[in-house]
Amino acid sequence: MSDTPVTPLLDTVNLPKDLRALAPELLPQLARELREEMISAVSVTGGHLGAGLGVVELTVALHYVFDTPRDVLIWDVGHQAYPHKLLTGRRDRMRTLRQGGGLSGFTKRSESEYDPFGAAHSSTSISAALGFAVANKLAGKPGKAIAVIGDGAMSAGMAYEAMNNAREAGNRLIVILNDNDMSIAPPVGAFSAYLARLISSKKFISMRERMKKFARAMPRPLHNAAKKAEEFARGMATGGTLFEELGFYYVGPVDGHNLEHLLPVLENVRDAEEGPILVHVVTQKGKGYAPAEAAEDKYHGVQKFDVVTGAQVKAPPGPPSYTNIFAKALIAEATRDDKVVAITAAMPSGTGLDKFAQAFPERSFDVGIAEQHAVTFAAGLAAQGYRPFVAIYSTFLQRAYDQVVHDVAIQNLPVRFAMDRAGLVGADGATHAGSFDIAYLATLPNMVVMAAADEVELVNMVHLMALHDSGPIAVRYPRGNGTGIAIPETPQVIEIGKGRIMREGKKVAIMSLGTRLEEAMKAADRLDAQGLSTTVADMRFAKPLDVALIRRLLATHDVAVTIEEGSSGGFGAHVLTWASDEGLIDGGLKLRTMRLPDIFQDHEKPEKQYADAGLDADAIVTTVLTALRHNSVGVIEGARA
Ligand SMILES: Cc1ncc(C[n+]2csc(CCOP(=O)(O)OP(=O)(O)O)c2C)c(N)n1
């Protein structure tokens, strides 16, 4: 940039205190450098770009005006916190973002005192900030709590639950509504339309001028000018009604890219005696980087890219992803059956439902970030004879667990759960890992739980789900590409609760659930080569178990191993419980369960994550050999780490 000084301003700012030492006139320059630095860093790491670009000025203004970390700043989702990381002592590690051992792609308490609350799942920020604010109030400590939440995240019920309760905090709680008119996809629903009305009804452009003058003219603290303050805080008496009904003073809308507007407004809000306050800030996702501004998704999440052209590094050509296979299979089912409908909670492209929506716009529903609602909405559809597929990441279904239990399973309604991103997910880390779905679903009466071992199996399972009207049914499949095997024209009908034998041996039996099958087959080759003839079964179902197959395998092999891409309490635990109840392990059979370790694994390359978890071919071989070496019956072995 032509006006960049020889020593960039950013080099003088390691922490917010350095930022606060700068004259306000320098802040636009700092914001420019911050934006460039973020673009440069993400171009080499990949990650979330669009959201961070949209909050560069807001980040600068918040750290300038508030006394962080004493005042806690809580970013909802945390995917927009890259500029915040750059300003809070993490610039030197920015190029390790989302890499093994490097910075997290979200906010994380263990990473910095400036990250008071970890995030990644959305719409938690207001509740958390309220907790901080009330704790300060109880302890008589100073300090504000500021939640920055996007218009997309505002579609989740949890945000309203928090606002409904926020009066408790008084002026200690400030909510910044970052309205960029985007979720990952365009936002949906009445709330998004409401915000659009708020902005348009206030003639936003002229409003900005009024706001600026007014904010400057206003004496501080606000209560000194109670009447004006009331007028100001209530959005010039022109809007913000919904927030007011929830007990907030509404301020805005404010241009979130103009520091001259942002600073005085935030200063007034900081010094207000009344609260809680909601500041409606209008920003542009992808702001200041032309390729992001022009892109349909505003570069929400990107691969590594060329800074000049914005061209992202293409993944090497490979088999289609499980997500695409699922979308195609569901479209085929919906073509055969007009009762098939599909639901996503704000993840149309992530789940492949964008393709379904093109084919069947009337039968496709994006409900916004509202997983709980998505599940109960599907239950209602199922009760009326429709065949709803809830396409959802395993990690996000966690949020709707009571709906799964109470609205779906107890009523035995045939809701279909297509759980993408099952197992470890790589760069998004522990918050996004699909570790628990087998454990939390297979324990429920009425539920059928399947894991696809490859893409043909996924297509067959989607077919089975479409046919299965007698109760709820779920399939899990991983992030990433399939194995590349050819997919037959017509799906095969799988029998509920029946696994399949992939290779038959005599000494060792590996019972695999899901896509560890490939590693199980590799391990079997190696065990065979050592004279240990090995059977591999793709068990397909965590519930109901294929008990006939399990009984036979346990009766005819010396060692049996279960393996799954899920936590303890899953498939292996069910096999073990059943086998123990049946008395099948009383006679010296060596039965071992391989599953994810009892820790939250950080972001890493997926293969490395699985190796670390002890779930690759090497680990299977070791488990079998260790079990065989241990030859006395009835000895209690050391607990598995
Ligand atoms: C509970 C939950 N569901 C879905 C997601 C996936 N997700 C991450 S960011 C995002 C969009 C958020 O939109 P918004 O709050 O407007 O923030 P923006 O990206 O526009 O800044 C979604 C749906 C999530 N993180 N958490």
Side-chain angles (χ1 to χ4, degrees):
M1 296 281 137
S2 54
D3 52 355
T4 304
V6 181
T7 304
L9 217 43
L10 192 57
D11 288 358
T12 68
V13 175
N14 184 40
L15 291 171
K17 68 175 169 52
D18 308 320
L19 165 71
R20 293 195 274 269
L22 297 176
E25 313 78 80
L26 291 174
L27 298 185
Q29 169 68 30
L30 182 76
R32 270 198 298 282
E33 292 176 12
L34 195 55
R35 192 169 262 118
E36 278 171 31
E37 177 70 355
M38 182 173 57
I39 294 167
S40 163
V42 180
S43 76
V44 299
T45 61
H48 290 105
L49 184 61
L53 287 172
V55 296
V56 168
E57 289 79 12
L58 181 61
T59 308
V60 169
L62 285 168
H63 281 296
Y64 195 72
V65 170
F66 289 93
D67 184 14
T68 54
R70 188 203 68 170
D71 293 333
V72 298
L73 179 54
I74 301 181
W75 296 94
D76 204 272
V77 184
H79 66 314
Q80 76 292 60
Y82 297 3
H84 160 83
K85 293 196 183 211
L86 283 165
L87 289 180
T88 52
R90 286 170 271 185
R91 185 178 170 200
D92 57 341
R93 284 179 291 154
M94 212 53 195
R95 282 162 182 76
T96 68
L97 202 63
R98 293 161 57 87
Q99 326 288 309
L103 292 180
S104 160
F106 303 98
T107 47
K108 199 167 179 183
R109 276 170 63 85
S110 58
E111 207 172 84
S112 167
E113 62 175 328
Y114 292 90
D115 290 3
F117 203 74
H121 286 205
S122 86
S123 319
T124 59
S125 61
I126 305 178
S127 298
L130 182 57
F132 279 88
V134 169
N136 278 350
K137 187 173 149 192
L138 289 174
K141 285 205 249 165
K144 304 269 174 179
I146 306 120
V148 184
I149 181 166
D151 54 309
M154 270 285 197
S155 61
M158 197 175 165
Y160 296 87
E161 294 171 29
M163 284 196 286
N164 192 38
N165 182 217
R167 227 187 269 263
E168 284 293 328
N171 68 346
R172 291 172 188 269
L173 178 70
I174 295 156
V175 174
I176 311 282
L177 169 59
N178 173 32
D179 181 4
N180 58 21
D181 200 25
M182 274 296 276
S183 185
I184 292 180
V188 292
F191 179 70
S192 148
Y194 174 74
L195 291 183
R197 274 203 307 281
L198 269 188
I199 291 172
S200 58
S201 71
K202 293 179 144 197
K203 297 200 179 52
F204 179 48
I205 305 298
S206 66
M207 183 68 195
R208 286 190 308 197
E209 284 314 304
R210 282 167 68 202
M211 181 69 74
K212 185 173 139 192
K213 284 195 200 113
F214 186 72
R216 281 205 178 134
M218 197 162 55
R220 274 180 264 149
L222 276 182
H223 78 281
N224 291 344
K227 198 165 172 299
K228 273 188 176 176
E230 180 72 5
E231 193 185 356
F232 171 70
R234 290 193 175 267
M236 307 285 197
T238 54
T241 322
L242 172 66
F243 302 110
E244 286 168 13
E245 295 298 337
L246 286 164
F248 277 78
Y249 288 85
Y250 170 88
V251 178
V254 187
D255 178 350
H257 297 301
N258 189 325
L259 284 155
E260 283 186 40
H261 297 181
L262 276 177
L263 292 176
V265 169
L266 291 178
E267 282 166 6
N268 282 326
V269 165
R270 177 195 63 199
D271 298 337
E273 295 274 314
E274 302 281 327
I277 298 177
L278 180 136
V279 188
H280 183 178
V281 174
V282 177
T283 61
Q284 189 187 345
K285 200 161 177 170
K287 173 78 176 176
Y289 184 49
E293 287 184 13
E296 208 176 317
D297 71 344
K298 308 295 171 205
Y299 277 25
H300 177 87
V302 290
Q303 305 297 324
K304 297 172 189 184
F305 61 94
D306 180 312
V307 174
V308 177
T309 63
Q312 296 180 48
V313 172
K314 285 212 174 70
S321 66
Y322 280 96
T323 304
N324 280 335
I325 303 278
F326 162 72
K328 242 177 119 178
L330 190 61
I331 290 169
E333 296 304 328
T335 308
R336 284 189 276 269
D337 178 355
D338 64 6
K339 292 277 193 249
V340 168
V341 295
I343 299 155
T344 172
M347 302 295 283
S349 57
T351 58
L353 283 202
D354 51 348
K355 296 187 179 65
F356 185 91
Q358 280 163 15
F360 298 104
E362 312 265 284
R363 287 150 67 186
S364 158
F365 303 92
D366 180 351
V367 299
I369 306 179
E371 289 79 6
Q372 301 172 325
H373 160 62
V375 170
T376 303
F377 170 52
L381 283 159
Q384 281 290 60
Y386 278 83
R387 302 200 166 91
F389 280 74
V390 178
I392 192 162
Y393 289 7
S394 163
T395 190
F396 297 140
L397 186 58
Q398 287 164 196
R399 185 162 281 191
Y401 190 52
D402 186 58
Q403 285 72 8
V404 172
V405 177
H406 177 270
D407 299 334
V408 175
I410 290 179
Q411 307 194 85
N412 202 19
L413 287 167
V415 174
R416 287 87 173 155
F417 296 99
M419 298 182 296
D420 202 324
R421 306 314 195 262
L424 301 175
V425 294
D428 282 333
T431 54
H432 279 56
S435 307
F436 306 112
D437 58 89
I438 308 175
Y440 69 65
L441 291 182
T443 194
L444 298 178
N446 294 332
M447 188 65 78
V448 174
V449 184
M450 304 181 281
D454 59 39
E455 54 267 56
V456 173
E457 283 292 292
L458 176 57
V459 172
N460 292 341
M461 287 173 176
V462 170
H463 185 54
L464 174 61
M465 291 162 91
L467 299 176
H468 184 75
D469 283 334
S470 56
I473 185 165
V475 65
R476 72 190 317 254
Y477 45 95
R479 178 181 195 143
N481 298 340
T483 59
I485 46 168
I487 298 174
E489 277 292 303
T490 330
Q492 186 199 332
V493 179
I494 296 176
E495 205 180 321
I496 296 270
K498 286 285 164 239
R500 56 179 182 150
I501 295 287
M502 306 305 295
R503 56 188 281 165
E504 190 85 55
K506 290 192 163 54
K507 202 158 175 68
V508 178
I510 306 175
M511 297 183 273
S512 168
L513 183 81
T515 49
R516 285 295 93 188
L517 183 63
E518 220 172 323
E519 295 297 306
M521 296 297 272
K522 277 190 222 161
D525 281 343
R526 285 165 46 190
L527 290 166
D528 264 13
Q530 296 185 41
L532 297 168
S533 133
T534 300
T535 297
V536 177
D538 170 18
M539 299 305 293
R540 286 179 170 151
F541 292 84
K543 188 186 179 86
L545 292 175
D546 186 345
V547 290
L549 179 56
I550 298 169
R551 185 184 292 280
R552 177 169 83 74
L553 294 177
L554 298 191
T556 53
H557 294 76
D558 296 343
V559 179
V561 175
T562 67
I563 184 161
E564 65 201 291
E565 291 162 340
S567 68
S568 59
F571 167 67
H574 285 280
V575 171
L576 203 54
T577 306
W578 176 82
S580 168
D581 288 352
E582 293 287 304
L584 299 179
I585 49 177
D586 297 352
L589 167 86
K590 293 161 186 296
L591 178 56
R592 300 290 182 270
T593 62
M594 298 182 71
R595 73 274 172 184
L596 293 173
D598 189 23
I599 52 165
F600 289 108
Q601 283 181 264
D602 275 339
H603 47 286
E604 228 331 330
K605 291 202 167 60
E607 317 77 70
K608 171 98 172 28
Q609 287 183 316
Y610 277 118
D612 292 348
L615 287 181
D616 58 3
D618 281 348
I620 298 172
V621 170
T622 307
T623 300
V624 169
L625 295 180
T626 310
L628 277 170
R629 265 200 301 276
H630 199 274
N631 54 13
S632 58
V633 176
V635 172
I636 299 168
E637 295 192 30
R640 201 186 123 97

